[in-house]
Coordinates of all heavy atoms in Angstrom, one line a residue:
L1 N -11.0 51.4 -23.9 CA -10.6 51.9 -22.6 C -10.0 50.8 -21.7 O -9.0 51.0 -21.0 CB -11.9 52.5 -21.9 CG -11.7 53.1 -20.5 CD1 -10.7 54.3 -20.5 CD2 -13.0 53.5 -19.9
P2 N -10.6 49.5 -21.6 CA -10.0 48.5 -20.8 C -8.6 48.2 -21.1 O -7.8 47.9 -20.3 CB -10.9 47.3 -21.0 CG -12.2 47.8 -21.5 CD -11.9 49.1 -22.2
E3 N -8.3 48.2 -22.4 CA -6.9 47.9 -22.8 C -6.0 49.0 -22.4 O -4.8 48.7 -22.0 CB -6.9 47.7 -24.4 CG -7.6 46.4 -24.8 CD -8.1 46.5 -26.2 OE1 -7.9 47.5 -26.9 OE2 -8.7 45.5 -26.7
K4 N -6.4 50.2 -22.5 CA -5.5 51.3 -22.1 C -5.3 51.3 -20.6 O -4.2 51.5 -20.1 CB -6.2 52.7 -22.4 CG -6.1 53.0 -23.9 CD -6.7 54.3 -24.2 CE -6.7 54.6 -25.7 NZ -7.3 55.9 -25.9
L5 N -6.4 51.0 -19.8 CA -6.2 50.9 -18.3 C -5.3 49.7 -18.0 O -4.5 49.8 -17.0 CB -7.6 50.7 -17.7 CG -8.4 52.0 -17.6 CD1 -9.8 51.7 -17.0 CD2 -7.8 53.0 -16.7
S6 N -5.5 48.6 -18.7 CA -4.6 47.4 -18.3 C -3.2 47.7 -18.6 O -2.3 47.2 -17.9 CB -5.1 46.2 -19.1 OG -4.9 46.3 -20.5
E7 N -2.9 48.5 -19.6 CA -1.5 48.8 -19.9 C -0.9 49.8 -19.0 O 0.2 49.8 -18.6 CB -1.4 49.2 -21.4 CG -1.7 48.1 -22.3 CD -1.0 48.3 -23.7 OE1 -0.1 49.1 -23.8 OE2 -1.4 47.5 -24.6
K8 N -1.8 50.7 -18.6 CA -1.3 51.8 -17.7 C -1.1 51.3 -16.3 O -0.1 51.6 -15.6 CB -2.4 52.9 -17.6 CG -1.9 54.1 -16.8 CD -2.9 55.2 -16.9 CE -2.4 56.4 -16.1 NZ -3.3 57.5 -16.1
F9 N -1.9 50.4 -15.8 CA -1.8 49.8 -14.5 C -1.5 48.3 -14.6 O -2.3 47.4 -14.2 CB -3.1 50.0 -13.7 CG -3.5 51.4 -13.5 CD1 -4.5 52.0 -14.2 CD2 -2.8 52.2 -12.6 CE1 -4.9 53.3 -14.0 CE2 -3.1 53.5 -12.4 CZ -4.2 54.1 -13.1
K10 N -0.4 48.0 -15.3 CA -0.1 46.6 -15.6 C 0.1 45.7 -14.4 O -0.5 44.6 -14.4 CB 1.3 46.6 -16.4 CG 1.7 45.2 -16.9 CD 1.6 45.2 -18.3 CE 2.1 43.8 -18.8 NZ 1.2 43.2 -19.6
S11 N 0.8 46.1 -13.4 CA 1.0 45.3 -12.2 C -0.4 45.1 -11.5 O -0.6 44.0 -11.0 CB 2.0 45.9 -11.3 OG 1.6 47.2 -10.9
L12 N -1.2 46.1 -11.3 CA -2.5 45.9 -10.7 C -3.4 45.0 -11.5 O -4.1 44.2 -11.0 CB -3.2 47.3 -10.5 CG -4.5 47.3 -9.8 CD1 -4.4 46.7 -8.4 CD2 -5.1 48.7 -9.8
Y13 N -3.4 45.2 -12.8 CA -4.1 44.4 -13.7 C -3.7 42.9 -13.6 O -4.5 42.0 -13.5 CB -4.0 44.8 -15.2 CG -4.6 43.9 -16.1 CD1 -6.0 43.9 -16.3 CD2 -3.9 43.0 -16.9 CE1 -6.6 43.0 -17.2 CE2 -4.4 42.1 -17.8 CZ -5.8 42.1 -18.0 OH -6.4 41.2 -18.8
T14 N -2.4 42.7 -13.6 CA -1.9 41.3 -13.4 C -2.3 40.7 -12.1 O -2.7 39.5 -12.0 CB -0.4 41.3 -13.6 OG1 0.0 41.9 -14.8 CG2 0.2 39.9 -13.5
L15 N -2.2 41.5 -11.0 CA -2.6 41.0 -9.7 C -4.1 40.6 -9.6 O -4.4 39.6 -9.1 CB -2.3 42.1 -8.6 CG -2.6 41.8 -7.2 CD1 -1.7 40.7 -6.7 CD2 -2.5 43.0 -6.3
L16 N -4.9 41.5 -10.2 CA -6.4 41.2 -10.2 C -6.7 40.0 -11.2 O -7.5 39.1 -10.9 CB -7.2 42.4 -10.6 CG -7.1 43.5 -9.6 CD1 -7.8 44.8 -10.2 CD2 -7.8 43.1 -8.3
Y17 N -6.0 40.0 -12.3 CA -6.2 38.9 -13.3 C -5.8 37.5 -12.7 O -6.5 36.5 -12.9 CB -5.4 39.2 -14.6 CG -5.7 38.2 -15.6 CD1 -6.8 38.2 -16.4 CD2 -4.7 37.2 -15.9 CE1 -7.1 37.2 -17.4 CE2 -4.9 36.2 -16.9 CZ -6.1 36.2 -17.6 OH -6.3 35.3 -18.6
R18 N -4.8 37.5 -11.9 CA -4.3 36.3 -11.3 C -5.0 36.0 -10.0 O -4.6 35.1 -9.3 CB -2.8 36.4 -11.0 CG -2.0 36.3 -12.3 CD -2.2 35.1 -13.0 NE -1.0 34.7 -13.7 CZ -0.8 33.5 -14.1 NH1 -1.6 32.5 -13.9 NH2 0.3 33.2 -14.8
K19 N -6.1 36.8 -9.7 CA -6.9 36.6 -8.4 C -6.0 36.6 -7.2 O -6.1 35.7 -6.3 CB -7.7 35.3 -8.5 CG -8.7 35.3 -9.7 CD -9.3 34.0 -9.8 CE -8.3 33.2 -10.7 NZ -8.6 31.8 -11.0
Y20 N -5.1 37.6 -7.1 CA -4.2 37.8 -6.0 C -3.3 36.6 -5.8 O -2.8 36.4 -4.7 CB -5.0 38.1 -4.7 CG -5.9 39.3 -4.8 CD1 -7.2 39.2 -4.9 CD2 -5.3 40.6 -4.7 CE1 -8.0 40.3 -5.0 CE2 -6.1 41.7 -4.8 CZ -7.5 41.6 -4.9 OH -8.3 42.7 -5.0
Y21 N -3.1 35.8 -6.8 CA -2.2 34.7 -6.8 C -2.6 33.6 -5.7 O -1.7 32.9 -5.2 CB -0.7 35.1 -6.6 CG -0.2 35.9 -7.7 CD1 -0.2 37.3 -7.7 CD2 0.3 35.2 -8.9 CE1 0.3 38.0 -8.8 CE2 0.8 35.9 -9.9 CZ 0.8 37.3 -9.9 OH 1.3 38.0 -11.0
V22 N -3.9 33.6 -5.4 CA -4.3 32.7 -4.3 C -4.1 31.2 -4.8 O -3.7 30.4 -4.0 CB -5.8 33.0 -4.0 CG1 -6.4 31.9 -3.1 CG2 -6.0 34.3 -3.4
D23 N -4.4 30.9 -6.0 CA -4.2 29.6 -6.5 C -2.8 29.1 -6.5 O -2.5 28.0 -6.1 CB -4.8 29.4 -7.9 CG -6.3 29.5 -8.0 OD1 -7.0 29.3 -7.0 OD2 -6.8 29.9 -9.1
E24 N -1.9 30.0 -6.8 CA -0.5 29.7 -6.8 C 0.1 29.5 -5.4 O 0.8 28.6 -5.2 CB 0.3 30.8 -7.6 CG 0.2 30.8 -9.1 CD -1.1 31.5 -9.5 OE1 -1.9 32.0 -8.7 OE2 -1.3 31.6 -10.8
I25 N -0.4 30.3 -4.5 CA 0.0 30.2 -3.1 C -0.5 28.9 -2.5 O 0.2 28.2 -1.8 CB -0.4 31.5 -2.3 CG1 0.4 32.7 -2.8 CG2 -0.2 31.3 -0.8 CD1 -0.2 34.0 -2.3
Y26 N -1.8 28.7 -2.8 CA -2.4 27.4 -2.2 C -1.7 26.2 -2.8 O -1.4 25.2 -2.0 CB -3.9 27.4 -2.7 CG -4.6 26.2 -2.1 CD1 -5.2 26.2 -0.8 CD2 -4.8 25.1 -2.9 CE1 -5.9 25.1 -0.3 CE2 -5.5 24.0 -2.4 CZ -6.0 24.0 -1.1 OH -6.7 22.9 -0.7
D27 N -1.4 26.2 -4.1 CA -0.6 25.1 -4.7 C 0.7 24.9 -4.0 O 1.1 23.8 -3.7 CB -0.5 25.4 -6.2 CG 0.1 24.2 -6.9 OD1 -0.5 23.1 -6.8 OD2 1.1 24.4 -7.6
F28 N 1.4 26.0 -3.8 CA 2.8 25.9 -3.2 C 2.7 25.5 -1.7 O 3.6 24.7 -1.3 CB 3.4 27.3 -3.3 CG 4.8 27.4 -2.7 CD1 5.9 26.8 -3.4 CD2 5.0 28.0 -1.5 CE1 7.2 26.9 -2.8 CE2 6.3 28.0 -0.9 CZ 7.4 27.5 -1.6
I29 N 1.7 26.0 -1.0 CA 1.7 25.6 0.5 C 1.1 24.3 0.8 O 1.5 23.5 1.6 CB 0.9 26.7 1.2 CG1 1.7 28.0 1.2 CG2 0.7 26.3 2.7 CD1 1.0 29.2 1.8
F30 N 0.0 23.9 0.0 CA -0.7 22.7 0.4 C -0.6 21.6 -0.7 O -0.3 20.4 -0.3 CB -2.2 23.0 0.5 CG -2.5 24.0 1.7 CD1 -2.9 25.3 1.5 CD2 -2.4 23.5 3.0 CE1 -3.1 26.1 2.5 CE2 -2.7 24.4 4.0 CZ -3.0 25.7 3.8
V31 N -0.8 21.9 -1.9 CA -0.9 20.8 -2.9 C 0.5 20.1 -3.1 O 0.6 18.9 -3.0 CB -1.4 21.3 -4.2 CG1 -1.4 20.3 -5.3 CG2 -2.9 21.9 -4.0
K32 N 1.5 20.9 -3.4 CA 2.8 20.2 -3.7 C 3.4 19.5 -2.5 O 3.8 18.3 -2.7 CB 3.8 21.3 -4.2 CG 3.5 21.8 -5.6 CD 4.5 22.7 -6.1 CE 4.1 23.2 -7.5 NZ 5.0 24.1 -8.0
P33 N 3.3 20.0 -1.2 CA 3.8 19.2 -0.1 C 2.9 17.9 0.1 O 3.5 16.9 0.5 CB 3.7 20.1 1.1 CG 3.7 21.5 0.5 CD 3.1 21.4 -0.8
T34 N 1.6 18.0 -0.1 CA 0.8 16.9 0.0 C 1.1 15.8 -1.0 O 1.2 14.6 -0.7 CB -0.7 17.3 -0.1 OG1 -1.0 18.2 0.9 CG2 -1.6 16.1 0.1
L35 N 1.4 16.2 -2.2 CA 1.7 15.2 -3.3 C 3.1 14.6 -3.0 O 3.2 13.4 -3.1 CB 1.8 15.9 -4.6 CG 0.4 16.3 -5.2 CD1 0.6 17.1 -6.5 CD2 -0.4 15.1 -5.5
K36 N 4.0 15.4 -2.5 CA 5.4 14.8 -2.2 C 5.3 13.9 -1.0 O 5.9 12.8 -1.0 CB 6.4 15.9 -1.9 CG 6.8 16.6 -3.1 CD 8.0 17.5 -2.9 CE 8.4 18.2 -4.2 NZ 9.8 18.7 -4.1
G37 N 4.5 14.3 0.0 CA 4.3 13.4 1.2 C 3.6 12.1 0.8 O 4.0 11.0 1.3
S38 N 2.6 12.2 0.0 CA 1.8 11.0 -0.4 C 2.7 10.1 -1.3 O 2.7 8.9 -1.1 CB 0.6 11.4 -1.3 OG -0.2 12.2 -0.6
E39 N 3.6 10.7 -2.1 CA 4.5 9.8 -2.9 C 5.5 9.1 -2.0 O 5.8 8.0 -2.2 CB 5.2 10.7 -3.9 CG 6.1 9.9 -4.9 CD 6.7 10.7 -6.0 OE1 6.4 11.9 -6.1 OE2 7.6 10.2 -6.6
G40 N 6.0 9.8 -1.0 CA 6.9 9.2 0.0 C 6.2 8.1 0.8 O 6.9 7.0 1.0
L41 N 5.0 8.3 1.2 CA 4.3 7.2 1.9 C 4.0 6.0 1.0 O 4.1 4.9 1.4 CB 3.0 7.7 2.4 CG 3.0 8.6 3.7 CD1 1.7 9.2 4.0 CD2 3.6 7.9 4.8
W42 N 3.7 6.3 -0.3 CA 3.4 5.3 -1.2 C 4.7 4.4 -1.5 O 4.6 3.2 -1.4 CB 2.9 5.9 -2.5 CG 2.9 4.9 -3.7 CD1 2.3 3.7 -3.8 CD2 3.6 5.0 -4.9 NE1 2.5 3.1 -5.0 CE2 3.4 3.9 -5.7 CE3 4.5 6.0 -5.4 CZ2 3.9 3.7 -7.0 CZ3 5.0 5.8 -6.7 CH2 4.7 4.7 -7.4
K43 N 5.8 5.1 -1.7 CA 7.0 4.3 -2.0 C 7.6 3.7 -0.7 O 8.1 2.6 -0.7 CB 8.1 5.3 -2.7 CG 7.7 5.6 -4.1 CD 8.8 6.5 -4.7 CE 8.4 6.8 -6.2 NZ 9.4 7.7 -6.8
G44 N 7.6 4.5 0.4 CA 8.2 4.1 1.6 C 7.5 3.0 2.4 O 8.0 2.1 3.0
V45 N 6.2 3.2 2.5 CA 5.3 2.4 3.3 C 4.6 1.3 2.5 O 4.6 0.1 2.8 CB 4.4 3.2 4.2 CG1 3.5 2.3 5.0 CG2 5.1 4.1 5.1
D46 N 3.9 1.8 1.5 CA 3.0 0.9 0.8 C 3.8 -0.2 0.0 O 3.6 -1.4 0.1 CB 2.1 1.7 -0.2 CG 1.1 0.8 -0.9 OD1 0.4 -0.1 -0.2 OD2 0.9 0.9 -2.1
L47 N 4.7 0.3 -0.8 CA 5.5 -0.6 -1.7 C 6.4 -1.6 -0.9 O 6.4 -2.8 -1.1 CB 6.3 0.1 -2.7 CG 5.5 0.8 -3.9 CD1 6.5 1.5 -4.8 CD2 4.7 -0.2 -4.6
S48 N 7.1 -1.0 0.1 CA 8.1 -1.8 0.8 C 7.4 -2.7 1.9 O 7.7 -3.9 2.0 CB 9.2 -1.0 1.4 OG 8.7 -0.1 2.3
T49 N 6.5 -2.1 2.7 CA 6.0 -2.8 3.8 C 4.7 -3.6 3.5 O 4.7 -4.8 3.7 CB 5.7 -1.8 5.0 OG1 6.9 -1.0 5.2 CG2 5.3 -2.5 6.2
I50 N 3.7 -2.9 3.0 CA 2.4 -3.6 2.8 C 2.5 -4.6 1.7 O 2.1 -5.7 1.8 CB 1.3 -2.5 2.6 CG1 1.2 -1.7 3.9 CG2 0.0 -3.2 2.3 CD1 0.3 -0.5 3.7
D51 N 3.0 -4.1 0.5 CA 3.1 -5.0 -0.6 C 4.1 -6.1 -0.4 O 3.9 -7.3 -0.8 CB 3.5 -4.3 -1.9 CG 2.3 -3.4 -2.4 OD1 1.2 -3.6 -1.9 OD2 2.5 -2.6 -3.4
G52 N 5.2 -5.8 0.3 CA 6.2 -6.8 0.7 C 5.6 -7.9 1.5 O 5.9 -9.0 1.3
L53 N 4.8 -7.5 2.5 CA 4.2 -8.4 3.4 C 3.2 -9.3 2.7 O 3.1 -10.5 2.9 CB 3.5 -7.7 4.6 CG 2.9 -8.5 5.7 CD1 3.9 -9.4 6.4 CD2 2.1 -7.7 6.6
A54 N 2.4 -8.7 1.8 CA 1.5 -9.4 1.0 C 2.2 -10.5 0.1 O 1.7 -11.6 0.0 CB 0.6 -8.5 0.2
H55 N 3.3 -10.1 -0.5 CA 4.0 -11.0 -1.4 C 4.7 -12.1 -0.6 O 4.6 -13.3 -1.0 CB 5.0 -10.2 -2.2 CG 4.5 -9.3 -3.2 ND1 3.6 -9.7 -4.2 CD2 4.6 -8.0 -3.4 CE1 3.2 -8.7 -5.0 NE2 3.8 -7.6 -4.5
K56 N 5.2 -11.8 0.6 CA 5.9 -12.8 1.4 C 4.8 -13.8 1.9 O 5.1 -15.0 1.9 CB 6.6 -12.2 2.5 CG 7.9 -11.5 2.1 CD 8.7 -11.1 3.3 CE 9.9 -10.3 2.9 NZ 10.8 -10.7 1.9
S57 N 3.7 -13.3 2.3 CA 2.6 -14.3 2.8 C 2.1 -15.1 1.7 O 1.8 -16.3 1.9 CB 1.5 -13.5 3.5 OG 0.8 -12.6 2.6
A58 N 2.0 -14.6 0.5 CA 1.5 -15.4 -0.7 C 2.5 -16.4 -1.0 O 2.2 -17.6 -1.3 CB 1.3 -14.5 -1.9
K59 N 3.8 -16.1 -0.9 CA 4.9 -17.1 -1.2 C 4.9 -18.2 -0.1 O 5.0 -19.4 -0.4 CB 6.3 -16.5 -1.2 CG 6.5 -15.7 -2.5 CD 7.9 -15.0 -2.5 CE 8.1 -14.2 -3.8 NZ 9.4 -13.5 -3.8
T60 N 4.6 -17.8 1.1 CA 4.6 -18.8 2.2 C 3.4 -19.8 2.0 O 3.5 -21.0 2.2 CB 4.5 -18.1 3.6 OG1 5.6 -17.2 3.7 CG2 4.4 -19.1 4.7
V61 N 2.2 -19.2 1.7 CA 1.1 -20.1 1.5 C 1.3 -21.0 0.3 O 0.9 -22.1 0.3 CB -0.2 -19.2 1.3 CG1 -1.4 -20.0 0.9 CG2 -0.5 -18.5 2.6
N62 N 1.9 -20.4 -0.8 CA 2.1 -21.2 -2.0 C 3.1 -22.4 -1.6 O 2.9 -23.5 -2.1 CB 2.7 -20.3 -3.1 CG 2.7 -21.0 -4.4 OD1 2.0 -22.0 -4.6 ND2 3.5 -20.4 -5.3
A63 N 4.1 -22.1 -0.9 CA 5.1 -23.1 -0.5 C 4.4 -24.2 0.4 O 4.6 -25.4 0.2 CB 6.3 -22.5 0.3
G64 N 3.6 -23.8 1.3 CA 2.8 -24.7 2.1 C 1.9 -25.6 1.3 O 1.7 -26.8 1.6
G65 N 1.3 -24.9 0.3 CA 0.4 -25.7 -0.6 C 1.1 -26.7 -1.4 O 0.6 -27.8 -1.6
G66 N 2.4 -26.4 -1.8 CA 3.2 -27.3 -2.5 C 3.6 -28.5 -1.6 O 3.6 -29.7 -2.1
I67 N 3.8 -28.3 -0.4 CA 4.2 -29.4 0.5 C 2.9 -30.3 0.8 O 3.0 -31.5 0.7 CB 4.7 -28.8 1.9 CG1 6.1 -28.2 1.6 CG2 4.8 -29.9 2.9 CD1 6.6 -27.4 2.8
L68 N 1.8 -29.6 1.0 CA 0.6 -30.4 1.2 C 0.1 -31.1 0.0 O -0.5 -32.2 0.1 CB -0.5 -29.5 1.8 CG -0.3 -28.9 3.2 CD1 -1.5 -27.9 3.5 CD2 -0.3 -30.0 4.2
A69 N 0.4 -30.6 -1.2 CA 0.0 -31.3 -2.4 C 0.8 -32.6 -2.5 O 0.2 -33.6 -3.1 CB 0.3 -30.4 -3.6
R70 N 2.0 -32.7 -2.0 CA 2.7 -34.0 -2.1 C 2.1 -35.0 -1.1 O 2.1 -36.2 -1.4 CB 4.2 -33.8 -1.7 CG 4.9 -33.0 -2.7 CD 6.4 -32.8 -2.4 NE 7.0 -31.9 -3.3 CZ 7.8 -31.0 -3.0 NH1 8.2 -30.9 -1.7 NH2 8.3 -30.2 -3.8
I71 N 1.6 -34.5 0.0 CA 1.0 -35.5 1.0 C -0.4 -36.0 0.5 O -0.8 -37.1 0.7 CB 0.8 -34.8 2.3 CG1 2.2 -34.4 2.9 CG2 0.0 -35.6 3.3 CD1 2.1 -33.5 4.1
Q72 N -1.1 -35.2 -0.3 CA -2.4 -35.5 -0.8 C -2.3 -36.4 -2.0 O -2.2 -35.9 -3.1 CB -3.2 -34.2 -1.1 CG -4.5 -34.2 -0.5 CD -5.2 -32.8 -0.7 OE1 -4.7 -31.9 -1.4 NE2 -6.4 -32.7 -0.2
T73 N -2.3 -37.7 -1.8 CA -2.1 -38.6 -3.0 C -3.5 -39.1 -3.5 O -3.5 -39.5 -4.7 CB -1.3 -39.8 -2.5 OG1 -2.0 -40.5 -1.5 CG2 0.1 -39.4 -2.0
G74 N -4.5 -39.1 -2.7 CA -5.8 -39.6 -3.2 C -5.9 -41.1 -2.9 O -7.0 -41.7 -3.2
L75 N -4.9 -41.7 -2.2 CA -5.0 -43.1 -1.9 C -5.4 -43.3 -0.4 O -4.8 -42.7 0.5 CB -3.6 -43.8 -2.1 CG -3.1 -43.7 -3.6 CD1 -1.7 -44.3 -3.6 CD2 -4.0 -44.5 -4.5
V76 N -6.4 -44.1 -0.2 CA -6.9 -44.2 1.2 C -5.9 -44.8 2.1 O -5.8 -44.5 3.3 CB -8.2 -45.1 1.1 CG1 -8.7 -45.4 2.5 CG2 -9.3 -44.4 0.3
K77 N -5.1 -45.8 1.6 CA -4.0 -46.4 2.4 C -3.0 -45.3 3.0 O -2.6 -45.4 4.1 CB -3.3 -47.5 1.7 CG -2.4 -47.0 0.6 CD -1.7 -48.2 -0.1 CE -0.9 -47.7 -1.2 NZ 0.5 -47.7 -0.9
D78 N -2.7 -44.3 2.1 CA -1.8 -43.3 2.6 C -2.5 -42.4 3.7 O -1.8 -42.1 4.7 CB -1.4 -42.4 1.4 CG -0.5 -43.1 0.5 OD1 0.1 -44.1 0.8 OD2 -0.4 -42.6 -0.7
Y79 N -3.7 -42.1 3.5 CA -4.5 -41.3 4.5 C -4.6 -42.1 5.8 O -4.5 -41.6 6.9 CB -5.8 -40.9 4.0 CG -5.8 -40.0 2.8 CD1 -6.7 -40.0 1.9 CD2 -4.7 -39.1 2.7 CE1 -6.7 -39.2 0.8 CE2 -4.7 -38.2 1.6 CZ -5.6 -38.3 0.6 OH -5.6 -37.4 -0.4
G80 N -4.8 -43.4 5.7 CA -4.9 -44.3 6.9 C -3.6 -44.3 7.6 O -3.6 -44.3 8.9
F81 N -2.5 -44.4 6.9 CA -1.2 -44.4 7.5 C -0.9 -43.1 8.2 O -0.4 -43.1 9.4 CB -0.1 -44.7 6.5 CG 1.3 -44.5 7.0 CD1 1.8 -45.5 7.9 CD2 2.0 -43.4 6.6 CE1 3.1 -45.3 8.4 CE2 3.3 -43.3 7.1 CZ 3.9 -44.2 8.0
L82 N -1.2 -42.0 7.6 CA -1.0 -40.7 8.3 C -1.9 -40.5 9.5 O -1.5 -39.9 10.5 CB -1.3 -39.5 7.3 CG -0.3 -39.4 6.1 CD1 -0.7 -38.3 5.2 CD2 1.1 -39.0 6.7
F83 N -3.1 -41.0 9.4 CA -4.0 -41.0 10.6 C -3.4 -41.8 11.7 O -3.4 -41.3 12.9 CB -5.4 -41.5 10.2 CG -6.4 -41.5 11.4 CD1 -7.0 -40.4 11.8 CD2 -6.7 -42.7 12.0 CE1 -7.8 -40.4 12.9 CE2 -7.5 -42.8 13.1 CZ -8.1 -41.6 13.5
L84 N -3.0 -43.0 11.4 CA -2.3 -43.9 12.5 C -1.1 -43.2 13.0 O -0.9 -43.2 14.2 CB -2.0 -45.2 11.9 CG -1.4 -46.2 12.8 CD1 -2.3 -46.6 13.9 CD2 -1.0 -47.5 12.0
L85 N -0.3 -42.6 12.2 CA 1.0 -42.0 12.6 C 0.6 -40.8 13.5 O 1.3 -40.6 14.6 CB 1.8 -41.5 11.4 CG 3.1 -40.8 11.7 CD1 4.1 -41.8 12.3 CD2 3.7 -40.2 10.4
G86 N -0.4 -40.0 13.2 CA -0.8 -38.9 14.0 C -1.3 -39.3 15.3 O -1.0 -38.7 16.4
T87 N -2.1 -40.4 15.4 CA -2.6 -40.9 16.6 C -1.5 -41.4 17.5 O -1.5 -41.2 18.7 CB -3.6 -42.1 16.3 OG1 -4.6 -41.7 15.4 CG2 -4.2 -42.6 17.6
I88 N -0.5 -42.1 17.0 CA 0.6 -42.6 17.7 C 1.4 -41.4 18.3 O 1.8 -41.4 19.5 CB 1.6 -43.5 16.9 CG1 0.8 -44.8 16.6 CG2 2.9 -43.7 17.6 CD1 1.5 -45.7 15.6
I89 N 1.6 -40.3 17.5 CA 2.4 -39.2 18.0 C 1.6 -38.5 19.1 O 2.2 -38.1 20.2 CB 2.6 -38.2 16.8 CG1 3.6 -38.8 15.9 CG2 3.1 -36.8 17.4 CD1 3.8 -38.0 14.6
I90 N 0.3 -38.3 19.0 CA -0.5 -37.7 20.1 C -0.5 -38.5 21.3 O -0.3 -38.0 22.4 CB -1.9 -37.4 19.6 CG1 -1.9 -36.3 18.5 CG2 -2.9 -37.0 20.7 CD1 -3.2 -36.1 17.8
L91 N -0.7 -39.8 21.2 CA -0.7 -40.7 22.4 C 0.7 -40.7 23.0 O 0.8 -40.7 24.3 CB -1.1 -42.1 22.0 CG -2.6 -42.4 21.7 CD1 -2.8 -43.8 21.2 CD2 -3.4 -42.1 23.0
G92 N 1.7 -40.7 22.2 CA 3.1 -40.7 22.8 C 3.3 -39.4 23.5 O 3.9 -39.4 24.6
Y93 N 2.8 -38.3 23.0 CA 3.0 -37.0 23.7 C 2.3 -37.0 25.0 O 2.8 -36.6 26.0 CB 2.5 -35.9 22.8 CG 2.5 -34.5 23.4 CD1 3.7 -33.8 23.6 CD2 1.4 -33.9 23.9 CE1 3.8 -32.6 24.2 CE2 1.4 -32.7 24.5 CZ 2.6 -32.0 24.7 OH 2.6 -30.8 25.3
W94 N 1.0 -37.5 25.0 CA 0.2 -37.5 26.3 C 0.9 -38.4 27.3 O 1.0 -38.1 28.5 CB -1.2 -38.0 26.0 CG -2.1 -37.0 25.4 CD1 -1.9 -35.7 25.2 CD2 -3.4 -37.2 24.8 NE1 -2.9 -35.1 24.6 CE2 -3.9 -36.0 24.3 CE3 -4.2 -38.4 24.6 CZ2 -5.1 -35.9 23.7 CZ3 -5.4 -38.2 24.0 CH2 -5.8 -37.0 23.6
L95 N 1.3 -39.6 26.9 CA 2.0 -40.5 27.8 C 3.3 -40.0 28.3 O 3.7 -40.2 29.5 CB 2.2 -41.9 27.2 CG 0.9 -42.7 26.9 CD1 1.3 -43.9 26.1 CD2 0.2 -43.0 28.2
W96 N 4.0 -39.2 27.5 CA 5.3 -38.7 27.9 C 5.1 -37.5 28.9 O 5.9 -37.3 29.8 CB 6.0 -38.1 26.7 CG 7.4 -37.6 27.0 CD1 8.5 -38.2 27.4 CD2 7.8 -36.2 26.9 NE1 9.5 -37.4 27.6 CE2 9.1 -36.1 27.3 CE3 7.1 -35.0 26.6 CZ2 9.8 -34.9 27.3 CZ3 7.8 -33.9 26.6 CH2 9.1 -33.8 27.0
K97 N 4.0 -36.8 28.8 CA 3.7 -35.7 29.7 C 3.2 -36.2 31.1 O 3.3 -35.5 32.0 CB 2.6 -34.8 29.1 CG 3.1 -33.8 28.1 CD 4.1 -32.9 28.7 CE 4.1 -31.5 28.1 NZ 5.0 -30.6 28.8
L98 N 2.6 -37.4 31.1 CA 2.2 -37.9 32.4 C 3.3 -38.2 33.2 O 3.7 -38.2 34.2 CB 1.3 -39.2 32.2 CG -0.1 -38.9 31.6 CD1 -0.8 -40.2 31.4 CD2 -0.9 -38.0 32.4

């Protein structure tokens, strides 16, 4: 009997079997636009802006570390010279401002 009824009322059977197409409608209205919007934010904002900023700041810190590595020799005489040079620059700045 169920098979006969399903064949006789095919469109009603399909409508009920598909649960009034609620899942398909929900997918079309909410899920697909959300996925497309999320993908757009990921590619447009995350990859270009956030990741770009993180990579640029890492390169800047790496370059600064390379410069500071050349200054850091481990020799006390070099550190003493840099200390003296810094002191002269600061004193010269203060005296120039007076």
Side-chain angles (χ1 to χ4, degrees):
L1 180 67
E3 291 156 358
K4 287 182 183 180
L5 285 173
S6 69
E7 294 207 12
K8 185 175 182 181
F9 301 104
K10 182 113 176 124
S11 59
L12 180 62
Y13 173 78
T14 305
L15 182 68
L16 292 174
Y17 183 76
R18 291 299 211 160
K19 298 171 276 178
Y20 300 104
Y21 294 96
V22 171
D23 292 337
E24 288 81 359
I25 294 169
Y26 183 84
D27 188 53
F28 180 75
I29 293 174
F30 295 108
V31 175
K32 288 183 180 178
T34 301
L35 288 175
K36 285 189 180 203
S38 298
E39 185 177 349
L41 286 174
W42 166 59
K43 288 181 179 176
V45 176
D46 185 47
L47 288 180
S48 64
T49 307
I50 297 171
D51 287 352
L53 183 63
H55 292 302
K56 286 189 190 308
S57 63
K59 286 180 182 178
T60 303
V61 169
N62 194 17
I67 292 169
L68 290 175
R70 291 184 189 136
I71 296 172
Q72 231 175 0
T73 61
L75 299 174
V76 176
K77 68 178 180 107
D78 290 343
Y79 296 146
F81 172 73
L82 290 174
F83 178 77
L84 180 64
L85 183 66
T87 305
I88 291 170
I89 290 171
I90 290 172
L91 285 175
Y93 176 76
W94 283 349
L95 291 174
W96 182 69
K97 280 298 212 177
L98 290 177

